[in-house]
Amino acid sequence: MAVDIKSLNHSQLNDLISKAQLRQNELRKEKVVKLREKIHALIKAEGYAFEDIFGHGRAKTRRSGGTVAPKYRNPADPEQTWSGRGKRPRWFNEALKAGKKEKDLAI
């Protein structure tokens, strides 16, 4: 199928380009489906299940927001600690302004 693109006007050329891109996407999707079928057939022929090879589910689990050991302690009030993550607590900023260094507050 030969198309003389020199004879097409601007709108016809845009239409041809969009149709060609749609067809290209369709062909890619068809190829992916065929490849997926081949992979499943190969896995089944070897006597395994898809889950045996690739695990269960595709959703990534998010790590739980577990506690982190404190890294800094307020010398004025030892109950106040900070892990070094997130926004600095007021006592930490005040200690820095008072001339203390981070290593002085480290546990």
Side-chain angles (χ1 to χ4, degrees), residues 86-100:
K87 188 177 177 183
R88 290 180 170 176
R90 278 192 213 134
W91 63 263
F92 190 85
N93 287 330
E94 290 169 4
L96 292 177
K97 286 179 186 175
K100 299 229 180 204

Side-chain angles (χ1 to χ4, degrees), residues 10-77:
H10 184 55
S11 63
Q12 291 172 330
L13 190 58
N14 282 337
D15 187 44
L16 179 64
I17 290 170
S18 65
K19 286 180 181 178
Q21 288 174 338
L22 285 173
R23 181 63 183 144
Q24 189 177 32
N25 288 337
E26 289 173 1
L27 289 173
R28 185 179 184 285
K29 287 178 184 178
E30 289 173 8
K31 194 171 186 178
V32 167
V33 168
K34 287 180 184 178
L35 180 61
R36 188 175 289 137
E37 289 171 355
K38 284 182 185 178
I39 291 170
H40 280 286
L42 179 63
I43 291 171
K44 189 175 181 180
E46 293 294 325
Y48 293 100
F50 183 84
E51 291 77 21
D52 295 337
I53 306 298
F54 296 106
H56 296 285
R58 293 198 268 178
K60 291 186 179 181
T61 58
R62 202 166 184 189
R63 286 206 265 170
S64 64
T67 59
V68 177
K71 195 173 177 182
Y72 302 99
R73 176 170 279 129
N74 185 356
D77 182 6

Side-chain angles (χ1 to χ4, degrees), residues 76-89:
D77 182 6
E79 292 292 317
Q80 293 179 333
T81 59
W82 179 48
S83 67
R85 295 184 179 183
K87 188 177 177 183
R88 290 180 170 176

